[in-house]
Amino acid sequence: MAAHLLVLSDTHLPKRARELPAGLWAEIEAADVVVHAGDWVSEDLLDEMQQRSRRLIACYGNNDGGALPDRLPLIARATIEDVRLAVIHETGPAGGREQRMDAQFPDADLLVFGHSHIPWDSVSPNGLRLLNPGSPTDRRRQPFCTYQRVTIDGKAVAAELVRLPPRR
């Protein structure tokens, strides 16, 4: 039976937005697994997401102070279906990313990362799938705020980038 994931990063609440975009909480509650790749900024968001999600796999990011680094790992790991997942906030520059992550995560099939706010979907030379969902609250230089819906069925990983409407 397939697992449905909601993948987020760089929410930066309440600094970049007061709250998550409308409708996102319903998707968080419906997902089998929520994956967050850091830069929460607010412990309140972590608390609420832990309460409202069925399963949360998350790490902390470079903007996460206070108790967040004590509550979350630098690298989160889990196995979903037959896919070995790793979650980290920062992977360094885009150039050479796939090769660096092959070396850093030889025991992973899927790597979720954040930091850049730039959506990313690629496969490394060794077959590691790399996903960055962008940010649902701070698009930076991107045309849209984004997140990802991911389906894992056995070893198969299907990812869909979701573009959010502009905030009003």
Side-chain angles (χ1 to χ4, degrees):
M1 190 158 163
H4 300 283
L5 287 67
L6 182 77
V7 180
L8 303 165
S9 186
D10 297 284
T11 44
H12 291 274
L13 293 183
K15 292 186 176 187
R16 308 288 173 157
R18 289 188 183 111
E19 58 191 22
L20 290 180
L24 198 49
W25 281 115
E27 289 209 47
I28 288 167
E29 292 169 351
D32 297 315
V33 181
V34 175
V35 178
H36 194 297
D39 273 6
W40 301 78
V41 180
S42 165
E43 267 189 271
D44 292 341
L45 177 61
L46 172 59
D47 292 340
E48 187 168 4
M49 205 167 288
Q50 285 176 323
Q51 291 170 2
R52 294 177 72 172
S53 62
R54 295 179 193 179
R55 180 178 180 194
L56 177 64
I57 301 168
C59 66
Y60 69 87
N62 63 302
N63 284 297
D64 292 330
L68 286 166
D70 295 329
R71 295 179 61 187
L72 296 166
L74 176 63
I75 302 169
R77 295 179 184 271
T79 300
I80 301 172
E81 294 275 314
D82 298 325
V83 173
R84 299 166 300 170
L85 168 70
V87 184
I88 190 168
H89 183 63
E90 192 169 351
T91 60
R97 177 177 284 140
E98 286 84 2
Q99 292 78 7
R100 284 192 319 275
M101 295 305 102
D102 268 344
Q104 189 172 346
F105 296 96
D107 58 344
D109 303 304
L110 173 61
L111 176 66
V112 172
F113 66 98
H115 187 63
S116 67
H117 299 215
I118 299 171
W120 186 278
D121 186 347
S122 67
V123 178
S124 75
N126 290 343
L128 175 66
R129 180 84 175 263
L130 291 91
L131 295 176
N132 182 328
S135 170
T137 56
D138 183 13
R139 64 183 180 87
R140 283 199 186 155
R141 297 173 302 279
Q142 300 305 300
F144 299 95
C145 288
T146 56
Y147 63 95
Q148 288 172 327
R149 294 182 190 122
V150 175
T151 301
I152 298 177
D153 191 358
K155 284 199 90 47
V157 177
E160 172 193 6
L161 183 68
V162 180
R163 294 177 173 179
L164 290 159
R167 283 193 304 226
R168 296 176 185 184

